[in-house]
Amino acid sequence: MLEAALALCREKGFAALTIEAIAERAEVSKKTIYRWWPSKGAVLLDAVSLLAGRVADFPDTGDLEDDLTAQISVIVDLLTPPDSSPVAALVTEGQRDATLGAQIRDDVVQPTIVNFDARMRSAQAAGQIPSDVDLDVAVDLFYGPVYHRLALRLGMPDQAQIRARVRHVIAGLNALG
Amino acid sequence: MLEAALALCREKGFAALTIEAIAERAEVSKKTIYRWWPSKGAVLLDAVSLLAGRVADFPDTGDLEDDLTAQISVIVDLLTPPDSSPVAALVTEGQRDATLGAQIRDDVVQPTIVNFDARMRSAQAAGQIPSDVDLDVAVDLFYGPVYHRLALRLGMPDQAQIRARVRHVIAGLNALG
DNA sequence: ACCCTGACGACACGCTACGTGTCGTTTCGT
DNA sequence: ACGAAACGACACGTAGCGTGTCGTCAGGGT
């Protein structure tokens, strides 16, 4: 069923993602889906969790700029193309459904931020960024551009654009501490 | 009708915003709404335009940090609280409806970015930021944190948090050029 | 070998919202 | 005063939701 949800989202896009369509696609009765998930969003959340393992694993090669560029590129890939990305659909669904939104934040986003913080502290230990930078500020600055462009449909950044933004943020952190 | 849409969104939240509810609230027949707007999102777009005049008017006091903090605060106010903000609802609706999303981008976002660019060039002329900064990077960095926090339900930043982010971005622009 | 349980598919149901259609009435410009 | 345009009231068919009922089928325990 989870694979059916992902496939449907990728093929027909966001709007086609209904419980009834998933049921038909998975050759399963609607009732069975409702037996296991309370809502369409919950199905999506589980489906996305299948392929979101990469996000949590934060690279640490020693080069902060490379690592952040790589990590953010993974997220951009997951959100591309926005109109048929299951992850983008999940984020949007989380806007409408407060319960689902909170679950996404707590189960997916926060663990990722924890790993981000760990990588930042590693960079601080290596003297690549000041030891007193506010990591809440840092996470907003690094990931913000992606969600800005996603929300306002400004087009997803390519590798070079991601790197340019990462470089500016690192510079800002170093300049202000 | 536009006022009814805004009021409904603020009172009952996002989910309650249906064409039928707007019609009842505005004491108007459904048919009349469909005569003037093709979709719920289009109504929202016009309604939001009523109160979005402030966004386009970019302050220029000479202090870049103050101006950006003020401008971004206006946007944060418009997006607060996320669960019942008509503007946040419009952004979300723009994710599902590609046509509406493109219209939002072209009619609302791009004009704002044009004014942002003008303010940046003013700052460049004043020597507050380097003359060769990429303004596409700048707009992502300044506005990104807001949409990052909106999309992932991390809570809207307050004035001090906005200022902290603006300061870091300005520092980054100056450090790299 | 037996049965019991739990998950399942095939329906059918009521509900809400959508988007359209019809028709008679009101409003407004000229 | 008249005609067109906009309107309200109401009905309609459709889609998707979430639930309920019932008969079937497979596995596990005894």
Side-chain angles (χ1 to χ4, degrees):
Chain A
M1 305 179 206
L2 300 179
E3 284 164 12
L6 294 177
L8 255 177
C9 192
R10 291 217 173 276
E11 290 168 17
K12 313 277 180 176
F14 201 11
L17 200 67
T18 77
I19 293 275
E20 308 213 332
I22 296 172
E24 188 180 1
R25 172 64 171 251
E27 289 177 339
V28 140
S29 93
K30 245 197 316 178
K31 197 75 204 226
T32 302
I33 296 181
Y34 280 112
R35 212 186 311 273
W36 296 98
W37 294 280
S39 72
K40 171 171 57 180
V43 179
L44 246 187
L45 177 56
D46 277 7
V48 163
S49 298
L50 279 184
L51 44 85
R54 291 189 302 159
V55 178
D57 292 337
F58 222 102
D60 190 349
T61 67
D63 185 319
L64 182 60
E65 181 184 315
D66 282 352
D67 289 351
L68 282 167
T69 301
Q71 162 71 4
I72 293 172
S73 294
V74 169
I75 293 181
V76 168
D77 285 348
L78 286 173
L79 292 169
T80 303
D83 283 320
S84 60
S85 156
V87 180
L90 180 63
V91 171
T92 300
E93 197 65 21
Q95 300 303 301
R96 271 197 308 183
D97 181 340
T99 302
L100 176 67
Q103 204 175 340
I104 295 170
R105 185 192 56 216
D106 297 340
D107 296 353
V108 180
V109 177
Q110 285 296 357
T112 304
I113 293 181
V114 167
N115 290 337
F116 170 86
D117 288 352
R119 182 64 186 84
M120 286 300 110
R121 280 192 282 270
S122 163
Q124 288 175 326
Q128 292 163 343
I129 56 174
S131 59
D132 61 344
V133 292
D134 184 335
L135 294 186
D136 287 336
V137 173
V139 73
D140 278 355
L141 293 178
F142 282 119
Y143 291 96
V146 173
Y147 294 96
H148 176 236
R149 301 181 75 86
L150 176 70
L152 302 186
R153 287 183 173 270
L154 298 173
M156 287 290 99
D158 61 27
Q159 192 93 359
Q161 291 170 326
I162 295 170
R163 185 172 290 273
R165 283 149 183 78
V166 167
R167 290 185 65 228
H168 276 86
V169 175
I170 293 177
L173 296 177
N174 278 309
L176 281 186
Chain B
M1 304 180 207
L2 299 180
E3 285 164 12
L6 294 177
L8 256 178
C9 193
R10 293 219 174 275
E11 289 167 19
K12 313 277 180 174
F14 202 8
L17 198 68
T18 80
I19 293 275
E20 306 211 332
I22 296 173
E24 188 180 1
R25 172 63 173 251
E27 289 178 337
V28 139
S29 93
K30 244 195 320 177
K31 199 74 207 235
T32 301
I33 294 181
Y34 281 113
R35 211 187 312 275
W36 294 97
W37 293 281
S39 71
K40 170 174 55 183
V43 179
L44 247 187
L45 176 57
D46 278 7
V48 163
S49 298
L50 279 184
L51 45 83
R54 290 189 302 160
V55 178
D57 292 337
F58 222 102
D60 190 348
T61 67
D63 185 319
L64 183 61
E65 181 184 314
D66 283 352
D67 289 351
L68 282 167
T69 301
Q71 162 71 5
I72 294 173
S73 294
V74 169
I75 293 181
V76 169
D77 286 348
L78 285 173
L79 292 168
T80 302
D83 283 321
S84 60
S85 155
V87 180
L90 180 63
V91 171
T92 300
E93 197 65 22
Q95 301 302 302
R96 267 196 313 185
D97 181 338
T99 303
L100 175 67
Q103 204 175 341
I104 295 170
R105 184 191 59 218
D106 296 340
D107 297 353
V108 180
V109 177
Q110 285 297 355
T112 304
I113 292 180
V114 167
N115 291 336
F116 169 85
D117 289 351
R119 181 64 187 86
M120 285 302 109
R121 279 191 283 269
S122 163
Q124 287 174 326
Q128 292 162 344
I129 57 174
S131 59
D132 62 343
V133 292
D134 184 335
L135 295 186
D136 287 337
V137 172
V139 74
D140 277 355
L141 293 179
F142 282 120
Y143 291 96
V146 173
Y147 293 97
H148 176 237
R149 301 181 75 84
L150 176 70
L152 302 186
R153 289 184 171 267
L154 298 173
M156 288 288 100
D158 61 27
Q159 192 94 0
Q161 291 171 325
I162 294 170
R163 184 173 291 272
R165 283 149 183 77
V166 166
R167 290 184 66 227
H168 276 86
V169 175
I170 293 177
L173 296 176
N174 278 309
L176 281 187

